[in-house]
Amino acid sequence: MSTASRPYPIVQDLIESFAAWLKHRREMNEMRQLDRADFDRIAQDLRIAPDDLEELVRHGKHAADELPRMLEQLGISADRLGRAQPLLLRDMERVCSLCNQKGQCDRDLVDGTAAENYHGYCANASTLESLDRADVAPR
């Protein structure tokens, strides 16, 4: 629904934000109800450190939304990368999710300058630079 077709877009946006916040709080409460052994087992099954899993849950499901946009601006196909190196892509998502430079990244992605600037702040920069572009370029 476009902003123009909603009678009170600011109120609607606030309601949606509050609903998303409540949902995230419920997810956090569910996680806290797990005993430590179950939580550690889940982290082990996912092949990540329990502390990283806890932090990833805290950041929410949209914490790595910048990665596909960054890949696109660098001429890398997320689909091809996922097929060629699924564990690498998953680790890049983890790194992106835990990043503290979201503001700079979001600004560069919006401005279309991420490809020129990401080296200075992106925790995935060395991984991105090491990719064989021929294997992951869009077709």
Side-chain angles (χ1 to χ4, degrees), residues 31 36 39-40 42-44 46-60 63 90-91 93-95 97-99:
M31 183 184 78
R36 193 65 202 186
F39 187 80
D40 289 351
I42 291 168
Q44 182 180 11
L46 294 172
R47 296 183 178 151
I48 61 174
D51 290 342
D52 282 351
L53 178 57
E54 194 168 331
E55 192 68 20
L56 289 170
V57 171
R58 192 172 302 119
H59 283 264
R90 193 173 100 194
D91 189 59
E93 290 169 340
R94 179 189 61 79
V95 169
S97 294
L98 299 174
C99 179

PDB file of all heavy atoms in Angstrom, residues 31 36 39-40 42-44 46-60 63 90-91 93-95 97-99:
ATOM      1  N   MET A  31      13.665 -17.482  23.297  1.00  0.00           N
ATOM      2  CA  MET A  31      15.065 -17.883  23.361  1.00  0.00           C
ATOM      3  C   MET A  31      15.531 -17.974  24.810  1.00  0.00           C
ATOM      4  O   MET A  31      16.232 -18.907  25.196  1.00  0.00           O
ATOM      5  CB  MET A  31      15.931 -16.894  22.595  1.00  0.00           C
ATOM      6  CG  MET A  31      17.395 -17.296  22.569  1.00  0.00           C
ATOM      7  SD  MET A  31      18.433 -16.083  21.777  1.00  0.00           S
ATOM      8  CE  MET A  31      18.577 -14.867  23.067  1.00  0.00           C
ATOM      9  N   ARG A  36      20.394 -23.658  28.882  1.00  0.00           N
ATOM     10  CA  ARG A  36      21.682 -23.379  28.228  1.00  0.00           C
ATOM     11  C   ARG A  36      22.138 -24.541  27.357  1.00  0.00           C
ATOM     12  O   ARG A  36      22.710 -24.334  26.286  1.00  0.00           O
ATOM     13  CB  ARG A  36      22.739 -23.035  29.285  1.00  0.00           C
ATOM     14  CG  ARG A  36      23.984 -22.438  28.704  1.00  0.00           C
ATOM     15  CD  ARG A  36      23.655 -21.100  28.089  1.00  0.00           C
ATOM     16  NE  ARG A  36      24.664 -20.749  27.106  1.00  0.00           N
ATOM     17  CZ  ARG A  36      24.706 -19.595  26.491  1.00  0.00           C
ATOM     18  NH1 ARG A  36      23.815 -18.671  26.739  1.00  0.00           N
ATOM     19  NH2 ARG A  36      25.638 -19.339  25.618  1.00  0.00           N
ATOM     20  N   PHE A  39      20.234 -24.422  24.097  1.00  0.00           N
ATOM     21  CA  PHE A  39      20.690 -23.280  23.314  1.00  0.00           C
ATOM     22  C   PHE A  39      22.060 -23.569  22.695  1.00  0.00           C
ATOM     23  O   PHE A  39      22.280 -23.314  21.505  1.00  0.00           O
ATOM     24  CB  PHE A  39      20.751 -22.031  24.200  1.00  0.00           C
ATOM     25  CG  PHE A  39      21.040 -20.790  23.428  1.00  0.00           C
ATOM     26  CD1 PHE A  39      20.040 -20.144  22.719  1.00  0.00           C
ATOM     27  CD2 PHE A  39      22.329 -20.266  23.389  1.00  0.00           C
ATOM     28  CE1 PHE A  39      20.309 -18.998  21.999  1.00  0.00           C
ATOM     29  CE2 PHE A  39      22.601 -19.120  22.666  1.00  0.00           C
ATOM     30  CZ  PHE A  39      21.589 -18.484  21.967  1.00  0.00           C
ATOM     31  N   ASP A  40      22.958 -24.126  23.471  1.00  0.00           N
ATOM     32  CA  ASP A  40      24.295 -24.468  22.959  1.00  0.00           C
ATOM     33  C   ASP A  40      24.211 -25.522  21.866  1.00  0.00           C
ATOM     34  O   ASP A  40      24.959 -25.475  20.886  1.00  0.00           O
ATOM     35  CB  ASP A  40      25.198 -24.954  24.088  1.00  0.00           C
ATOM     36  CG  ASP A  40      25.599 -23.837  25.040  1.00  0.00           C
ATOM     37  OD1 ASP A  40      25.326 -22.650  24.733  1.00  0.00           O
ATOM     38  OD2 ASP A  40      26.169 -24.153  26.104  1.00  0.00           O
ATOM     39  N   ILE A  42      21.689 -25.951  19.784  1.00  0.00           N
ATOM     40  CA  ILE A  42      21.184 -25.268  18.587  1.00  0.00           C
ATOM     41  C   ILE A  42      22.325 -24.523  17.900  1.00  0.00           C
ATOM     42  O   ILE A  42      22.492 -24.596  16.678  1.00  0.00           O
ATOM     43  CB  ILE A  42      20.029 -24.308  18.944  1.00  0.00           C
ATOM     44  CG1 ILE A  42      18.800 -25.110  19.360  1.00  0.00           C
ATOM     45  CG2 ILE A  42      19.698 -23.392  17.771  1.00  0.00           C
ATOM     46  CD1 ILE A  42      17.703 -24.272  19.998  1.00  0.00           C
ATOM     47  N   ALA A  43      23.135 -23.823  18.684  1.00  0.00           N
ATOM     48  CA  ALA A  43      24.281 -23.097  18.115  1.00  0.00           C
ATOM     49  C   ALA A  43      25.241 -24.064  17.440  1.00  0.00           C
ATOM     50  O   ALA A  43      25.726 -23.800  16.328  1.00  0.00           O
ATOM     51  CB  ALA A  43      24.993 -22.299  19.204  1.00  0.00           C
ATOM     52  N   GLN A  44      25.498 -25.188  18.077  1.00  0.00           N
ATOM     53  CA  GLN A  44      26.389 -26.189  17.498  1.00  0.00           C
ATOM     54  C   GLN A  44      25.805 -26.725  16.194  1.00  0.00           C
ATOM     55  O   GLN A  44      26.531 -26.888  15.210  1.00  0.00           O
ATOM     56  CB  GLN A  44      26.618 -27.328  18.488  1.00  0.00           C
ATOM     57  CG  GLN A  44      27.575 -28.385  17.989  1.00  0.00           C
ATOM     58  CD  GLN A  44      27.779 -29.497  19.014  1.00  0.00           C
ATOM     59  OE1 GLN A  44      27.062 -29.590  20.004  1.00  0.00           O
ATOM     60  NE2 GLN A  44      28.757 -30.337  18.758  1.00  0.00           N
ATOM     61  N   LEU A  46      23.953 -25.184  14.168  1.00  0.00           N
ATOM     62  CA  LEU A  46      24.069 -24.113  13.178  1.00  0.00           C
ATOM     63  C   LEU A  46      25.531 -23.785  12.855  1.00  0.00           C
ATOM     64  O   LEU A  46      25.802 -22.963  11.986  1.00  0.00           O
ATOM     65  CB  LEU A  46      23.361 -22.850  13.679  1.00  0.00           C
ATOM     66  CG  LEU A  46      21.852 -22.963  13.824  1.00  0.00           C
ATOM     67  CD1 LEU A  46      21.300 -21.723  14.520  1.00  0.00           C
ATOM     68  CD2 LEU A  46      21.201 -23.156  12.468  1.00  0.00           C
ATOM     69  N   ARG A  47      26.446 -24.422  13.605  1.00  0.00           N
ATOM     70  CA  ARG A  47      27.881 -24.219  13.434  1.00  0.00           C
ATOM     71  C   ARG A  47      28.304 -22.777  13.694  1.00  0.00           C
ATOM     72  O   ARG A  47      29.087 -22.206  12.942  1.00  0.00           O
ATOM     73  CB  ARG A  47      28.335 -24.672  12.048  1.00  0.00           C
ATOM     74  CG  ARG A  47      28.161 -26.138  11.837  1.00  0.00           C
ATOM     75  CD  ARG A  47      28.686 -26.567  10.515  1.00  0.00           C
ATOM     76  NE  ARG A  47      28.542 -28.005  10.390  1.00  0.00           N
ATOM     77  CZ  ARG A  47      28.382 -28.621   9.254  1.00  0.00           C
ATOM     78  NH1 ARG A  47      28.347 -27.955   8.139  1.00  0.00           N
ATOM     79  NH2 ARG A  47      28.257 -29.926   9.226  1.00  0.00           N
ATOM     80  N   ILE A  48      27.746 -22.212  14.765  1.00  0.00           N
ATOM     81  CA  ILE A  48      28.176 -20.889  15.197  1.00  0.00           C
ATOM     82  C   ILE A  48      28.337 -20.893  16.716  1.00  0.00           C
ATOM     83  O   ILE A  48      27.787 -21.754  17.401  1.00  0.00           O
ATOM     84  CB  ILE A  48      27.209 -19.763  14.765  1.00  0.00           C
ATOM     85  CG1 ILE A  48      25.817 -19.958  15.360  1.00  0.00           C
ATOM     86  CG2 ILE A  48      27.143 -19.632  13.271  1.00  0.00           C
ATOM     87  CD1 ILE A  48      24.883 -18.800  15.068  1.00  0.00           C
ATOM     88  N   ALA A  49      29.090 -19.949  17.203  1.00  0.00           N
ATOM     89  CA  ALA A  49      29.316 -19.835  18.649  1.00  0.00           C
ATOM     90  C   ALA A  49      28.012 -19.434  19.339  1.00  0.00           C
ATOM     91  O   ALA A  49      27.246 -18.634  18.799  1.00  0.00           O
ATOM     92  CB  ALA A  49      30.393 -18.793  18.920  1.00  0.00           C
ATOM     93  N   PRO A  50      27.738 -19.974  20.515  1.00  0.00           N
ATOM     94  CA  PRO A  50      26.522 -19.605  21.248  1.00  0.00           C
ATOM     95  C   PRO A  50      26.385 -18.099  21.456  1.00  0.00           C
ATOM     96  O   PRO A  50      25.286 -17.550  21.340  1.00  0.00           O
ATOM     97  CB  PRO A  50      26.656 -20.350  22.573  1.00  0.00           C
ATOM     98  CG  PRO A  50      27.513 -21.533  22.250  1.00  0.00           C
ATOM     99  CD  PRO A  50      28.483 -21.038  21.208  1.00  0.00           C
ATOM    100  N   ASP A  51      27.492 -17.413  21.751  1.00  0.00           N
ATOM    101  CA  ASP A  51      27.420 -15.956  21.932  1.00  0.00           C
ATOM    102  C   ASP A  51      26.999 -15.257  20.641  1.00  0.00           C
ATOM    103  O   ASP A  51      26.246 -14.281  20.674  1.00  0.00           O
ATOM    104  CB  ASP A  51      28.755 -15.400  22.418  1.00  0.00           C
ATOM    105  CG  ASP A  51      29.069 -15.811  23.849  1.00  0.00           C
ATOM    106  OD1 ASP A  51      28.139 -16.226  24.572  1.00  0.00           O
ATOM    107  OD2 ASP A  51      30.250 -15.723  24.242  1.00  0.00           O
ATOM    108  N   ASP A  52      27.502 -15.755  19.499  1.00  0.00           N
ATOM    109  CA  ASP A  52      27.098 -15.178  18.205  1.00  0.00           C
ATOM    110  C   ASP A  52      25.619 -15.419  17.942  1.00  0.00           C
ATOM    111  O   ASP A  52      24.917 -14.527  17.456  1.00  0.00           O
ATOM    112  CB  ASP A  52      27.920 -15.758  17.055  1.00  0.00           C
ATOM    113  CG  ASP A  52      29.315 -15.161  16.959  1.00  0.00           C
ATOM    114  OD1 ASP A  52      29.603 -14.177  17.672  1.00  0.00           O
ATOM    115  OD2 ASP A  52      30.116 -15.683  16.157  1.00  0.00           O
ATOM    116  N   LEU A  53      25.136 -16.610  18.271  1.00  0.00           N
ATOM    117  CA  LEU A  53      23.717 -16.909  18.073  1.00  0.00           C
ATOM    118  C   LEU A  53      22.858 -15.981  18.915  1.00  0.00           C
ATOM    119  O   LEU A  53      21.862 -15.427  18.436  1.00  0.00           O
ATOM    120  CB  LEU A  53      23.411 -18.371  18.404  1.00  0.00           C
ATOM    121  CG  LEU A  53      21.944 -18.787  18.280  1.00  0.00           C
ATOM    122  CD1 LEU A  53      21.405 -18.518  16.867  1.00  0.00           C
ATOM    123  CD2 LEU A  53      21.778 -20.253  18.655  1.00  0.00           C
ATOM    124  N   GLU A  54      23.255 -15.787  20.148  1.00  0.00           N
ATOM    125  CA  GLU A  54      22.504 -14.895  21.033  1.00  0.00           C
ATOM    126  C   GLU A  54      22.471 -13.473  20.458  1.00  0.00           C
ATOM    127  O   GLU A  54      21.429 -12.816  20.425  1.00  0.00           O
ATOM    128  CB  GLU A  54      23.135 -14.898  22.419  1.00  0.00           C
ATOM    129  CG  GLU A  54      22.272 -14.302  23.483  1.00  0.00           C
ATOM    130  CD  GLU A  54      22.818 -14.595  24.872  1.00  0.00           C
ATOM    131  OE1 GLU A  54      23.473 -15.630  25.071  1.00  0.00           O
ATOM    132  OE2 GLU A  54      22.568 -13.755  25.751  1.00  0.00           O
ATOM    133  N   GLU A  55      23.601 -13.017  19.964  1.00  0.00           N
ATOM    134  CA  GLU A  55      23.683 -11.674  19.384  1.00  0.00           C
ATOM    135  C   GLU A  55      22.868 -11.586  18.089  1.00  0.00           C
ATOM    136  O   GLU A  55      22.195 -10.582  17.829  1.00  0.00           O
ATOM    137  CB  GLU A  55      25.149 -11.308  19.112  1.00  0.00           C
ATOM    138  CG  GLU A  55      25.377  -9.877  18.778  1.00  0.00           C
ATOM    139  CD  GLU A  55      25.117  -8.929  19.946  1.00  0.00           C
ATOM    140  OE1 GLU A  55      25.118  -9.360  21.108  1.00  0.00           O
ATOM    141  OE2 GLU A  55      24.902  -7.739  19.666  1.00  0.00           O
ATOM    142  N   LEU A  56      22.907 -12.629  17.279  1.00  0.00           N
ATOM    143  CA  LEU A  56      22.133 -12.634  16.031  1.00  0.00           C
ATOM    144  C   LEU A  56      20.637 -12.552  16.310  1.00  0.00           C
ATOM    145  O   LEU A  56      19.915 -11.811  15.635  1.00  0.00           O
ATOM    146  CB  LEU A  56      22.443 -13.894  15.218  1.00  0.00           C
ATOM    147  CG  LEU A  56      23.825 -13.948  14.589  1.00  0.00           C
ATOM    148  CD1 LEU A  56      24.087 -15.340  14.026  1.00  0.00           C
ATOM    149  CD2 LEU A  56      23.985 -12.887  13.516  1.00  0.00           C
ATOM    150  N   VAL A  57      20.177 -13.279  17.302  1.00  0.00           N
ATOM    151  CA  VAL A  57      18.760 -13.229  17.664  1.00  0.00           C
ATOM    152  C   VAL A  57      18.414 -11.829  18.165  1.00  0.00           C
ATOM    153  O   VAL A  57      17.364 -11.280  17.820  1.00  0.00           O
ATOM    154  CB  VAL A  57      18.416 -14.301  18.722  1.00  0.00           C
ATOM    155  CG1 VAL A  57      17.006 -14.119  19.251  1.00  0.00           C
ATOM    156  CG2 VAL A  57      18.586 -15.696  18.143  1.00  0.00           C
ATOM    157  N   ARG A  58      19.293 -11.245  18.916  1.00  0.00           N
ATOM    158  CA  ARG A  58      19.062  -9.898  19.448  1.00  0.00           C
ATOM    159  C   ARG A  58      18.939  -8.874  18.316  1.00  0.00           C
ATOM    160  O   ARG A  58      18.133  -7.962  18.381  1.00  0.00           O
ATOM    161  CB  ARG A  58      20.190  -9.506  20.394  1.00  0.00           C
ATOM    162  CG  ARG A  58      19.903  -8.268  21.200  1.00  0.00           C
ATOM    163  CD  ARG A  58      20.945  -7.989  22.283  1.00  0.00           C
ATOM    164  NE  ARG A  58      21.073  -9.107  23.206  1.00  0.00           N
ATOM    165  CZ  ARG A  58      22.194  -9.810  23.394  1.00  0.00           C
ATOM    166  NH1 ARG A  58      23.272  -9.500  22.740  1.00  0.00           N
ATOM    167  NH2 ARG A  58      22.227 -10.802  24.249  1.00  0.00           N
ATOM    168  N   HIS A  59      19.739  -9.027  17.267  1.00  0.00           N
ATOM    169  CA  HIS A  59      19.713  -8.084  16.145  1.00  0.00           C
ATOM    170  C   HIS A  59      18.485  -8.265  15.248  1.00  0.00           C
ATOM    171  O   HIS A  59      18.113  -7.335  14.537  1.00  0.00           O
ATOM    172  CB  HIS A  59      20.983  -8.219  15.300  1.00  0.00           C
ATOM    173  CG  HIS A  59      22.172  -7.582  15.934  1.00  0.00           C
ATOM    174  ND1 HIS A  59      22.583  -6.315  15.639  1.00  0.00           N
ATOM    175  CD2 HIS A  59      23.047  -8.038  16.868  1.00  0.00           C
ATOM    176  CE1 HIS A  59      23.649  -6.012  16.343  1.00  0.00           C
ATOM    177  NE2 HIS A  59      23.947  -7.047  17.109  1.00  0.00           N
ATOM    178  N   GLY A  60      17.887  -9.432  15.247  1.00  0.00           N
ATOM    179  CA  GLY A  60      16.675  -9.649  14.465  1.00  0.00           C
ATOM    180  C   GLY A  60      16.939 -10.183  13.068  1.00  0.00           C
ATOM    181  O   GLY A  60      18.063 -10.223  12.587  1.00  0.00           O
ATOM    182  N   ALA A  63      18.879  -8.162  10.089  1.00  0.00           N
ATOM    183  CA  ALA A  63      20.190  -7.601  10.407  1.00  0.00           C
ATOM    184  C   ALA A  63      21.187  -7.691   9.253  1.00  0.00           C
ATOM    185  O   ALA A  63      22.154  -6.949   9.224  1.00  0.00           O
ATOM    186  CB  ALA A  63      20.761  -8.283  11.649  1.00  0.00           C
ATOM    187  N   ARG A  90      26.761 -17.793   4.136  1.00  0.00           N
ATOM    188  CA  ARG A  90      26.160 -17.787   5.471  1.00  0.00           C
ATOM    189  C   ARG A  90      27.063 -17.075   6.484  1.00  0.00           C
ATOM    190  O   ARG A  90      26.592 -16.320   7.328  1.00  0.00           O
ATOM    191  CB  ARG A  90      25.861 -19.208   5.933  1.00  0.00           C
ATOM    192  CG  ARG A  90      24.963 -19.209   7.168  1.00  0.00           C
ATOM    193  CD  ARG A  90      24.526 -20.567   7.549  1.00  0.00           C
ATOM    194  NE  ARG A  90      25.393 -20.973   8.649  1.00  0.00           N
ATOM    195  CZ  ARG A  90      25.514 -22.184   9.106  1.00  0.00           C
ATOM    196  NH1 ARG A  90      24.840 -23.153   8.562  1.00  0.00           N
ATOM    197  NH2 ARG A  90      26.295 -22.465  10.098  1.00  0.00           N
ATOM    198  N   ASP A  91      28.376 -17.288   6.364  1.00  0.00           N
ATOM    199  CA  ASP A  91      29.286 -16.598   7.269  1.00  0.00           C
ATOM    200  C   ASP A  91      29.288 -15.102   6.988  1.00  0.00           C
ATOM    201  O   ASP A  91      29.344 -14.296   7.925  1.00  0.00           O
ATOM    202  CB  ASP A  91      30.701 -17.158   7.151  1.00  0.00           C
ATOM    203  CG  ASP A  91      31.606 -16.601   8.234  1.00  0.00           C
ATOM    204  OD1 ASP A  91      31.287 -16.787   9.426  1.00  0.00           O
ATOM    205  OD2 ASP A  91      32.605 -15.947   7.885  1.00  0.00           O
ATOM    206  N   GLU A  93      26.757 -13.420   5.938  1.00  0.00           N
ATOM    207  CA  GLU A  93      25.512 -12.937   6.541  1.00  0.00           C
ATOM    208  C   GLU A  93      25.678 -12.746   8.043  1.00  0.00           C
ATOM    209  O   GLU A  93      25.201 -11.768   8.619  1.00  0.00           O
ATOM    210  CB  GLU A  93      24.373 -13.911   6.249  1.00  0.00           C
ATOM    211  CG  GLU A  93      23.949 -13.926   4.795  1.00  0.00           C
ATOM    212  CD  GLU A  93      23.016 -15.070   4.455  1.00  0.00           C
ATOM    213  OE1 GLU A  93      22.969 -16.077   5.209  1.00  0.00           O
ATOM    214  OE2 GLU A  93      22.341 -14.972   3.411  1.00  0.00           O
ATOM    215  N   ARG A  94      26.378 -13.676   8.681  1.00  0.00           N
ATOM    216  CA  ARG A  94      26.627 -13.570  10.123  1.00  0.00           C
ATOM    217  C   ARG A  94      27.450 -12.321  10.419  1.00  0.00           C
ATOM    218  O   ARG A  94      27.097 -11.524  11.299  1.00  0.00           O
ATOM    219  CB  ARG A  94      27.360 -14.812  10.637  1.00  0.00           C
ATOM    220  CG  ARG A  94      27.679 -14.782  12.127  1.00  0.00           C
ATOM    221  CD  ARG A  94      28.601 -15.932  12.528  1.00  0.00           C
ATOM    222  NE  ARG A  94      29.879 -15.883  11.846  1.00  0.00           N
ATOM    223  CZ  ARG A  94      30.900 -15.084  12.194  1.00  0.00           C
ATOM    224  NH1 ARG A  94      30.787 -14.287  13.239  1.00  0.00           N
ATOM    225  NH2 ARG A  94      32.039 -15.104  11.534  1.00  0.00           N
ATOM    226  N   VAL A  95      28.509 -12.128   9.662  1.00  0.00           N
ATOM    227  CA  VAL A  95      29.369 -10.959   9.857  1.00  0.00           C
ATOM    228  C   VAL A  95      28.577  -9.675   9.634  1.00  0.00           C
ATOM    229  O   VAL A  95      28.664  -8.729  10.416  1.00  0.00           O
ATOM    230  CB  VAL A  95      30.604 -11.034   8.928  1.00  0.00           C
ATOM    231  CG1 VAL A  95      31.373  -9.724   8.909  1.00  0.00           C
ATOM    232  CG2 VAL A  95      31.507 -12.191   9.344  1.00  0.00           C
ATOM    233  N   SER A  97      25.362  -9.251   9.912  1.00  0.00           N
ATOM    234  CA  SER A  97      24.371  -9.115  10.985  1.00  0.00           C
ATOM    235  C   SER A  97      24.962  -8.503  12.245  1.00  0.00           C
ATOM    236  O   SER A  97      24.288  -7.762  12.957  1.00  0.00           O
ATOM    237  CB  SER A  97      23.771 -10.476  11.340  1.00  0.00           C
ATOM    238  OG  SER A  97      23.023 -10.976  10.272  1.00  0.00           O
ATOM    239  N   LEU A  98      26.212  -8.803  12.514  1.00  0.00           N
ATOM    240  CA  LEU A  98      26.858  -8.340  13.736  1.00  0.00           C
ATOM    241  C   LEU A  98      27.583  -7.003  13.552  1.00  0.00           C
ATOM    242  O   LEU A  98      28.177  -6.490  14.497  1.00  0.00           O
ATOM    243  CB  LEU A  98      27.844  -9.403  14.240  1.00  0.00           C
ATOM    244  CG  LEU A  98      27.222 -10.757  14.588  1.00  0.00           C
ATOM    245  CD1 LEU A  98      28.302 -11.770  14.928  1.00  0.00           C
ATOM    246  CD2 LEU A  98      26.216 -10.627  15.713  1.00  0.00           C
ATOM    247  N   CYS A  99      27.499  -6.429  12.376  1.00  0.00           N
ATOM    248  CA  CYS A  99      28.239  -5.211  12.032  1.00  0.00           C
ATOM    249  C   CYS A  99      27.731  -3.992  12.810  1.00  0.00           C
ATOM    250  O   CYS A  99      26.534  -3.840  13.047  1.00  0.00           O
ATOM    251  CB  CYS A  99      28.113  -4.946  10.536  1.00  0.00           C
ATOM    252  SG  CYS A  99      28.964  -3.459  10.000  1.00  0.00           S
TER     253      CYS A  99
END
